[in-house]
Amino acid sequence: MERAEAIKKCIAKEREDGKYHKQIKIEENATGFSYEKVFQDYLNETVTEVWVEDPYIRHIHQLYNFLRFCEMIVKGPCKVRTIHLRTSYDDGNGKNQQTSCLEEIKQSLKNYGITLNVSFSSSIHDREIKFNNGWMIKIGRGLDYFKKPQGRFCLGYCDFDLRPCHETTVDVFHTKHTKKT
């Protein structure tokens, strides 16, 4: 038991110092990886600003994923005042729907005292989420790692802990120990 406690303290110290790198492998069809489960260890009361870079917040299910991410932020222990979203435009006829949905999310967040800043890039490719407490999370599939539910009345439709996932990797870093070139 003493060894386990010592290891726990060592990991806590590394996290505090920002020398921590965690990699989560989400297997195909795995469950139990809701946004709350993936992000909860990195969200605390010091977080006031969030940056989301994901080129695929375009289609309706991806917009719902972003909305669910925003709901997690609102319910969490953090005191977020600003969320920055950088994404790309929907190439097809969905551009109007995309901008309309993002505007609706923006207005809804405003009711909670949160400003949503949206920008678009035609060259964005990588996906990452950063918090102003220094934590950076890179998810291979961005926020879109959940599979389509089998039906509207199936378990996992509402509760993402029960929703099967696509295979992806989540990397967690602290910006204190990343080199910028």
Side-chain angles (χ1 to χ4, degrees):
M1 192 66 160
E2 279 182 33
R3 179 169 159 65
E5 289 301 316
I7 291 171
K8 226 186 237 185
K9 284 181 183 177
C10 182
I11 290 172
K13 173 94 173 90
E14 281 188 0
R15 284 182 67 192
E16 191 176 301
D17 292 344
K19 296 177 184 173
Y20 176 82
H21 172 224
K22 180 177 183 179
Q23 188 172 70
I24 303 165
K25 295 268 192 197
I26 300 176
E27 301 294 330
E28 186 73 12
N29 292 315
T31 57
F33 292 97
S34 66
Y35 296 142
E36 288 84 357
K37 289 274 174 39
V38 171
F39 295 104
Q40 70 184 356
D41 290 344
Y42 313 101
L43 290 170
N44 58 36
E45 61 282 344
T46 66
V47 177
T48 59
E49 203 163 3
V50 177
W51 291 264
V52 177
E53 289 196 6
D54 189 330
Y56 298 104
I57 308 294
R58 302 181 193 174
H59 300 138
I60 199 73
H61 74 280
Q62 295 162 335
L63 290 155
Y64 274 122
N65 287 342
F66 179 66
L67 176 62
R68 286 185 177 101
F69 175 81
C70 291
E71 289 173 337
M72 177 207 56
I73 294 293
V74 168
K75 293 185 331 186
C78 46
K79 305 288 185 246
V80 170
R81 292 292 150 242
T82 309
I83 298 173
H84 304 275
L85 171 64
R86 186 168 174 240
T87 190
S88 61
Y89 275 120
D90 189 332
D91 296 331
N93 298 334
K95 186 176 178 180
N96 288 340
Q97 181 182 38
Q98 178 190 24
T99 54
S100 171
C101 290
L102 287 171
E103 184 59 35
E104 196 171 334
I105 293 170
K106 181 185 252 187
Q107 293 307 314
S108 184
L109 283 166
K110 191 185 269 188
N111 293 334
Y112 290 88
I114 299 173
T115 301
L116 174 61
N117 296 319
V118 179
S119 63
F120 295 92
S121 169
S122 60
S123 61
I124 186 175
H125 174 75
D126 291 345
R127 296 134 178 105
E128 71 179 27
I129 296 168
K130 293 190 279 188
F131 305 121
N132 69 322
N133 63 355
W135 289 108
M136 176 173 38
I137 294 92
K138 291 184 171 254
I139 306 173
R141 298 184 68 97
L143 292 174
D144 192 16
Y145 60 88
F146 297 103
K147 288 191 165 190
K148 181 179 179 179
Q150 292 181 330
R152 292 187 317 206
F153 295 96
C154 293
L155 294 179
Y157 187 85
C158 298
D159 186 341
F160 275 24
D161 272 326
L162 301 173
R163 176 89 60 100
C165 297
H166 292 286
E167 182 176 339
T168 195
T169 302
V170 180
D171 285 295
V172 181
F173 308 91
H174 198 281
T175 57
K176 187 191 287 186
H177 291 279
T178 56
K179 288 185 180 178
K180 293 185 172 77
T181 56

